[in-house]
Amino acid sequence: MSARPTIGVLGVQGDVSEHMAAVERAGGTARKVKRPDELTDVAGLILPGGESTTHRRLLDYEDLLSAITDRYRDGMAVFGTCAGAILLATEVLGAPTPHLSLVDITVRRNAFGRQRESFVTDLDVAGLDGGPLRAVFIRAPIIERVGPGIDVLATVDGEIVLAESDRALVAAFHPELTADDRLHKRFLEKTATAEVAR
Amino acid sequence: MNQRETGTIEVKRGLAQMLKGGVIMDVTTVDMAKVAEQAGAVAVMALERVPSDIRAGGGVARMAPVSKIKEIVAGVSIPVMAKCRIGHFVEAQIEEALGVDYLDESEVLTPADEAHHIDKHEFTIPFVCGARDLGEALRRIGEGAAMIRTKGEPGTGNIVEAVRHLRMIRAQIRDLATRPAEELLVAAKELRAPLDLVEETARTERLPVVNFAAGGVAIPADAALMMQLGADGVFVGSGIFKSENPAAFARAIVLATTHYDDPDILARVSEELGTDAAMVGLERLTEEELMQIRST
């Protein structure tokens, strides 16, 4: 693993600066990605929170969809939070087609309700040292199904809200909104594994 | 069973953080809301009449009809905001009960209380409020606002007031940051703002909440101008659905807001839109016509 891996943060819309700050605190170098050429040589890509319908329009305009897919096939790791997890899923309930379709999960949008139902809770995360993780859920989706090779890391009242494979991390909540950087550190470790695998 | 804390500062301010870099569009019907969603809006703002129609039509401007809000809430998957009158906490209660995601206590509507704003801490859902300067912004945050926008001068198609308000807030934050700690009490008095928020702003050199531009954004270049001046995102009121092709206009504003620092893309989206798409800009308004001076 290089000393500070370069981590792209998809920067078309959403809480981009929060993720960039978390990457820097966790020991990486953050780069905002708005165009396909900005994806070259990033070890991992974070897809932030925001509105997935908006992100999709903007990804189409700059042809980022195929660029991200190509880089993922190349060995890049991905981390999607909330809207980002929806973009990565192979199935989005209620939508005719998925978006990037890179991670074999089924998601349901706004599954906990509207903003008045948005909440904060303490999550027990499998394999994460240091006690429960304070997690902020904003009009959050849930992960209804995970495919083979994907492990469930945390649930809220039985609903899956955090899962991972060797090169992907998907969260229904927003680890970038708190000062707890453990999940960003875990993602940085994945980029190291991805480089070795390559 | 996981303990769920709702209505916390994190979830209120957090939703505004998710809207950053995006465009929030004024709509009066569910059909308009669907056009906005398809074009890439991050949220829609439900209101009875767009600001330019309020200006033209006169009379008391109130919250949108309940039936319209219900249709919009049911009709789109993106967050739905709705305006309520300044001080009219019952309009706010009704809109919260309807499932609205964000409330705008707005000077665009006719104020219901000339002395008091709504106690926004009392609500589970968050509020956005307008501001012309730092003191006004921090007073609203002190009352519980989780997001700020410039007031600008709505329904005019003229960006000059929004630019003035955004530059004013930035200049006042720069000034605060240079002051030693013992001068912040006097600064708080001058700004007529809570001391703890003044101290926080001086230390972090930014507002404690997300700050959008609003009031007079008429063309894609206006949206990009506000983003380059440091706005976190853009509200567009009358401009979109008063244009000849709302879908194309909405899409152009979304692209200009994301690619605000790329003149080639800005030129392309502006050209695709054509020249006569924008609403007519109003030049000078009399003091009675100004919405921005309502309840500061």
Side-chain angles (χ1 to χ4, degrees):
Chain A
M1 182 177 180
S2 57
R4 288 184 75 88
T6 301
I7 305 295
V9 179
L10 182 65
V12 294
Q13 191 274 318
D15 66 335
V16 180
S17 60
E18 289 80 351
H19 267 296
M20 293 181 71
V23 165
E24 297 279 342
R25 288 195 304 265
T29 300
R31 179 195 297 166
K32 193 192 277 193
V33 172
K34 284 206 246 181
R35 293 194 314 263
D37 60 293
E38 290 162 334
L39 275 173
T40 42
D41 77 7
V42 298
L45 179 70
I46 294 178
L47 298 102
E51 280 305 314
S52 59
T53 53
T54 305
H55 292 181
R56 178 57 194 271
R57 296 289 170 277
L58 294 161
L59 288 174
D60 286 344
Y61 187 75
E62 280 288 291
D63 204 19
L64 272 159
L65 227 45
S66 56
I68 293 170
T69 304
D70 289 348
R71 289 287 292 115
Y72 181 73
R73 296 217 171 104
D74 252 13
M76 180 180 77
V78 289
F79 181 12
T81 59
C82 196
I86 293 166
L87 289 178
L88 290 171
T90 49
E91 187 182 10
V92 181
L93 293 173
T97 54
H99 304 292
L100 284 159
S101 198
L102 298 180
V103 182
D104 187 11
I105 55 172
T106 300
V107 295
R108 180 185 296 281
R109 293 180 65 200
N110 303 337
F112 291 99
R114 305 193 66 87
Q115 174 63 12
R116 66 185 170 204
E117 281 87 40
S118 291
F119 64 97
V120 183
T121 195
D122 290 322
L123 272 190
D124 292 316
V125 178
L128 198 66
D129 295 333
L133 184 80
R134 192 164 168 80
V136 185
F137 290 78
I138 297 174
R139 291 171 43 94
I142 56 173
I143 301 168
E144 291 225 336
R145 177 196 64 87
V146 298
I150 296 175
D151 298 322
V152 174
L153 297 184
T155 58
V156 169
D157 301 328
E159 308 287 3
I160 304 167
V161 294
L162 181 66
E164 72 172 353
S165 68
D166 45 355
R167 272 198 293 133
L169 194 55
V170 280
F173 56 93
H174 296 284
E176 73 280 9
L177 289 186
T178 64
D180 188 334
D181 301 320
R182 283 179 289 167
L183 286 184
H184 284 82
K185 289 195 174 111
R186 194 176 180 111
F187 180 59
L188 260 58
E189 286 162 17
K190 283 188 188 302
T191 65
T193 327
E195 276 182 35
V196 171
R198 204 159 25 133
Chain B
M1 186 76 191
N2 288 72
Q3 185 76 32
R4 298 186 194 178
E5 300 167 51
T6 56
T8 68
I9 274 200
E10 295 130 303
V11 297
K12 285 179 169 179
R13 293 184 180 179
L15 178 52
Q17 287 168 277
M18 298 312 139
L19 302 175
K20 285 196 301 179
V23 183
I24 300 166
M25 302 182 189
D26 275 3
V27 299
T28 58
T29 67
V30 66
D31 292 336
M32 287 185 190
K34 286 177 176 168
V35 169
E37 181 176 42
Q38 280 304 311
V42 287
V44 290
M45 173 74 73
L47 73 175
E48 182 194 20
R49 290 174 281 168
V50 295
S52 62
D53 286 341
I54 292 173
R55 281 193 188 286
V60 175
R62 309 184 180 93
M63 67 176 268
V66 166
S67 60
K68 296 281 186 202
I69 294 175
K70 285 175 85 167
E71 284 170 19
I72 293 168
V73 163
V76 294
S77 68
I78 56 177
V80 175
M81 295 185 162
K83 287 189 190 291
C84 63
R85 282 179 270 176
I86 289 172
H88 206 314
F89 50 86
V90 174
E91 281 189 347
Q93 290 164 1
I94 292 169
E95 290 174 324
E96 180 172 63
L98 292 172
V100 164
D101 297 295
Y102 231 101
L103 289 165
D104 183 0
E105 186 182 21
S106 178
E107 70 284 359
V108 168
L109 307 187
T110 310
D113 189 324
E114 294 181 330
H116 309 96
H117 280 74
I118 296 172
D119 176 4
K120 294 168 271 287
H121 295 291
E122 285 295 305
F123 288 77
T124 303
I125 61 170
F127 278 76
V128 56
C129 287
R132 294 177 305 163
D133 57 43
L134 182 60
E136 203 173 348
L138 295 180
R139 284 196 293 284
R140 297 294 88 78
I141 296 166
E143 293 158 5
M147 178 178 183
I148 292 293
R149 55 171 174 76
T150 61
K151 282 183 162 176
E153 193 52 45
T156 61
N158 189 340
I159 198 68
V160 65
E161 295 298 321
V163 169
R164 188 199 317 280
H165 300 159
L166 196 58
R167 278 201 186 275
M168 173 64 81
I169 290 172
R170 287 209 321 176
Q172 288 175 305
I173 291 175
R174 278 199 305 274
D175 172 60
L176 265 194
T178 64
R179 299 220 198 176
E182 71 271 18
E183 291 182 13
L184 291 179
L185 186 60
V186 172
K189 274 190 189 167
E190 287 167 0
L191 290 167
R192 296 189 293 129
L195 178 61
D196 58 330
L197 292 175
V198 169
E199 288 172 337
E200 183 183 345
T201 306
R203 189 177 64 247
T204 59
E205 299 185 35
R206 59 156 298 141
L207 280 182
V209 302
V210 165
N211 184 21
F212 269 46
V217 175
I219 60 172
D222 291 343
L225 173 68
M226 299 312 286
M227 293 299 288
Q228 287 201 28
L229 285 173
D232 290 316
V234 177
F235 283 88
V236 184
S238 320
I240 292 170
F241 291 99
K242 288 290 170 188
S243 70
E244 285 176 8
N245 186 346
F249 195 91
R251 181 179 141 84
I253 296 261
V254 168
L255 289 169
T257 302
T258 288
H259 298 288
Y260 66 89
D261 53 357
D262 188 330
D264 292 331
I265 293 181
L266 295 175
R268 200 189 313 155
V269 303
S270 301
E271 183 181 13
E272 282 165 9
L273 202 56
T275 47
D276 51 357
M279 61 187 290
V280 179
L282 295 184
E283 255 191 44
R284 272 262 166 254
L285 297 172
T286 66
E287 188 140 320
E288 294 80 69
E289 292 170 323
L290 290 175
M291 290 174 169
Q292 59 177 282
I293 59 172
R294 292 171 168 177
S295 298
T296 58

